[in-house]
Amino acid sequence: MSDRATGSDPAPAHGVACAARASALHRACFGADPTVGGSASGRVNLIGDHVDYAGGPVLPMAIAARTHVAIAPATRDAFASEWSGDEGWTRYASGVLVELRAAGVALPPVSVAVASEVPVGAGLSSSAALEVAVARAALALAGAAMAPREIALLCQRAEHVHAGTPCGIMDQWCVAHAQAGEAILLDCTTLAWRVVALPAELSIEIVDSGVRHALRDGGYAARRADVEEAARLLGVARLAEVPCATPAPGVTRASPALDALPPRLARRARHVVGECARVHRAVEALAAGDLALFGRLLSESHASLRDDFDVSTPELDAIVERARSDGALGARMTGGGFGGSAIIARRHAAATHGR
Ligand code: GLA
């Protein structure tokens, strides 16, 4: 599927209260009404974690919760948000402004006020939502247009250069392209993508573990470095190029070449190679309406992130175990890990009724 035609902002009506909070905050902090607003949704990743920067496939879904930005011309860039205490977030917002100007957008200095329904550090891409919302508002103020693809890449660059997080492209791409409730399959090597229909009887519950993560804390960068080192040792440009056999539903067998790697890198690589295969199998399972297989793949993904990639936490593991013992189709941590949220896949009660 090609990019949608514009970078325009599809904020649904339910975000109105949050948009009003951003405007009120702008008035309170900067003494003036905002000129324009912009917003973007958070995302939850259904499957395919820690594979985007290895060039693999991912299946994220935009969620209803949004971040709203109110913006106006000012004498210098200034920022205000509902989040108190941690001012680290301003680097994401100012980084987007810097990158927009570097890309030739005629943007004056601006005052930026942010209100958000996307919890910070919960693994739901509060940073990508902030970046894309700032980009949309700033573009609207400058009277400029940019395709969603360019917005996503610019926001990823802002995160790399100005916030210091070597993230992949999944979050910004999903947030810039998908509508709330829409899942997309994205190939992170080619950036080809398409919407994936979710069966009506599938319900995805998001459970916040309450443990806050900060991808900047170093664990994320260390995992990415491991993955790149494994690719280098295997002589491939991206680890996602290493084939993975799937001899039976839900069973993935990574290439024997991985066994030659040092033990830690072999485990990291096993996760990446297996996870890429699981994403494809999950998309097939959804198309076939095989929710049991889809759920099993989610649970396998969790085990791999926990045991081979070492990015889960006891709290996330407990949520996943509880879900499994109470009859869910499957469950897994979602996003970068080290805290954040888990997803639980269930069959809608209405759909199982009478079966
Ligand atoms: C974070 C990053 C993404 C991706 C996920 C893990 O959300 O921003 O690029 O790597 O972690 O899948």
Side-chain angles (χ1 to χ4, degrees), residues 12 21 42 81-82 115 136 159 162 165 185 190 235 251 255 270 284 296 306 309-310 317 331 341:
R21 294 208 312 270
S81 86
E82 292 178 322
R136 285 175 172 162
E159 188 147 342
H162 304 279
T165 305
L185 174 64
T190 63
V251 178
S255 151
R270 193 161 64 216
E284 287 161 16
R296 210 155 64 232
R306 180 192 62 207
F309 220 69
D310 296 320
D317 295 343
S341 299

Side-chain angles (χ1 to χ4, degrees), residues 43 45 48-53 125 159 167-172 215 220 335-336:
R43 69 95 189 95
N45 191 20
D49 271 316
H50 287 279
V51 297
D52 59 351
Y53 52 77
S125 275
E159 188 147 342
C167 61
I169 188 62
M170 169 172 73
D171 301 347
Q172 291 80 7
L215 293 181
Y220 183 88

